[in-house]
Amino acid sequence: MRLVIQRVSEARVDINEKTVGKIGQGLLVLVGITHSDTDEDAQWLVKKLLKLRIFNDDDGKMNLSVSDVKGGILVVSQFTLFAKTKKGNRPSYTRSSPPETATPIYERFLEVMRFRFSGPLKSGEFGRDMQVSLVNDGPVTIIIDSKERDF
């Protein structure tokens, strides 16, 4: 699994011109799922995400987590995170897991988030055409891949 995490002052996701998820200060999390991803990947990423200290403390240092600042999290599925661009100009998405295997892992990611995170948690809808709006705070953007763990 791969996450693109953006620290935001606000973010929302719309489907068919209707807002289905909206947060103020917090994290916009784009989630990509590949063929080899499992429940273990989802659990590891949730734990890592919730402990990530990317909010400023009173001294201006990034020492606070999203929970510390009482922020929200907006989760949006994005199969294009595993695009291959090595050959040609049209990205290939063969490394992205198909919906029948990706959906349960995405749902498990959200389930673990709901269990471990007490703040506002919103999400888009898996596999839908969505419009995502955000104000990236900093800007701060972090990429975490469950297959590239630094132990």
Side-chain angles (χ1 to χ4, degrees), residues 96-114:
S96 298
S97 188
E100 56 273 9
T101 55
T103 303
I105 294 171
Y106 175 76
E107 293 297 330
R108 179 64 175 150
F109 180 84
L110 287 173
E111 180 184 330
V112 175
M113 286 288 295
R114 284 185 205 100

Side-chain angles (χ1 to χ4, degrees), residues 25 65-72 117 119-120:
Q25 179 187 31
S65 71
V66 66
S67 296
D68 294 332
V69 299
K70 297 181 178 18
F117 182 64

Side-chain angles (χ1 to χ4, degrees), residues 69-138:
V69 299
K70 297 181 178 18
I73 298 176
L74 176 59
V75 178
V76 177
S77 63
Q78 189 170 346
F79 76 95
T80 60
L81 293 182
F82 281 99
K84 286 173 46 177
T85 58
K86 187 174 181 179
K87 293 184 350 185
N89 294 317
R90 183 183 313 156
S92 167
Y93 302 108
T94 58
R95 293 188 310 169
S96 298
S97 188
E100 56 273 9
T101 55
T103 303
I105 294 171
Y106 175 76
E107 293 297 330
R108 179 64 175 150
F109 180 84
L110 287 173
E111 180 184 330
V112 175
M113 286 288 295
R114 284 185 205 100
F115 180 76
R116 292 183 178 244
F117 182 64
S118 61
L121 176 63
K122 305 293 182 182
S123 67
E125 294 179 24
F126 188 90
R128 296 289 304 268
D129 182 35
M130 298 175 274
Q131 289 68 52
V132 180
S133 303
L134 69 132
V135 177
N136 192 324
D137 180 24

Side-chain angles (χ1 to χ4, degrees), residues 5 20 42 51 55 58 61 98 104 112 129:
I5 303 156
V20 297
K51 291 184 177 184
F55 290 89
D58 291 338
K61 303 276 186 200
V112 175
D129 182 35

Side-chain angles (χ1 to χ4, degrees), residues 6-12 21-28 55 66 70-74 120 122 135:
Q6 295 180 300
R7 186 178 77 182
V8 298
S9 53
E10 62 184 60
R12 80 168 195 266
K22 182 178 180 179
I23 61 167
Q25 179 187 31
L27 300 174
L28 170 63
F55 290 89
V66 66
K70 297 181 178 18
I73 298 176
L74 176 59
K122 305 293 182 182
V135 177

